Amino acid sequence: VTTLEKPDLYRLAEGGRTLELRFARCTACDAPSFPHSPYGCPRCGAPADALREEFRDGRATLLGFVTLHARLAPGIEPPQVVGEAEIAPGLIEEVMLAGDETDFTDGMAIRAIPHEVQREGGAVIACRFAPDPEAAP
Ligand SMILES: [Zn+2]
């Protein structure tokens, strides 16, 4: 499987074991933003043509998480652990975590990994976050 579920948000890193996230870097204020917005810089309001695509490795810090037991969206099989993560300095996003809540603790280093999911058109690679094996304990 090499088809990405959301190719506008991430790509496979070299080696295929992790994902790189597609950020935008503002040439006016230098702030990173995610996802890459067609409306320009969310920090300073610079127009979209001031943004430069920037892939960053999917390292993040897990700030907190909850387990969802209800089916909240198509294609998400409960239970699903959902977290809040700082994916770049000052940039906090909701992320989906791979595994169950016993795998995670607040403040731990996590990393975006490819996770195969079934969709109507077949298997695709979704983005999940898992404990970063390269992080110091
Ligand atoms: Zn800006």
Side-chain angles (χ1 to χ4, degrees):
V1 177
T2 54
T3 305
L4 302 177
E5 183 184 32
K6 294 175 180 167
D8 52 330
L9 297 185
Y10 53 83
R11 70 180 180 190
L12 280 170
E14 200 172 323
R17 296 176 58 197
T18 57
L19 296 177
E20 294 174 336
L21 303 182
R22 180 174 178 253
F23 285 75
R25 171 77 67 178
C26 179
T27 56
C29 73
D30 201 41
S33 55
F34 181 88
H36 193 127
S37 167
Y39 306 112
C41 177
R43 169 139 352 145
C44 76
D49 62 9
L51 301 180
R52 297 283 171 268
E53 180 179 74
E54 181 176 297
F55 281 93
R56 299 164 61 101
D57 67 31
R59 288 190 168 91
T61 302
L62 184 61
L63 303 177
F65 55 94
V66 295
T67 301
L68 303 180
H69 294 282
R71 180 185 295 267
L72 294 186
I76 297 177
E77 292 297 323
Q80 170 68 51
V81 191
V82 175
E84 270 200 333
E86 187 172 35
I87 60 173
L91 201 53
I92 294 166
E93 281 288 321
E94 188 172 276
V95 300
M96 292 212 274
L97 302 173
D100 66 57
E101 60 192 16
T102 61
D103 297 326
F104 298 98
T105 54
D106 289 354
M108 87 185 318
I110 55 175
R111 188 150 189 187
I113 59 163
H115 180 81
E116 194 175 309
V117 296
Q118 296 297 326
R119 291 290 180 264
E120 279 180 26
V124 294
I125 294 171
C127 178
R128 295 288 187 274
F129 282 75
D132 186 352
E134 292 172 24

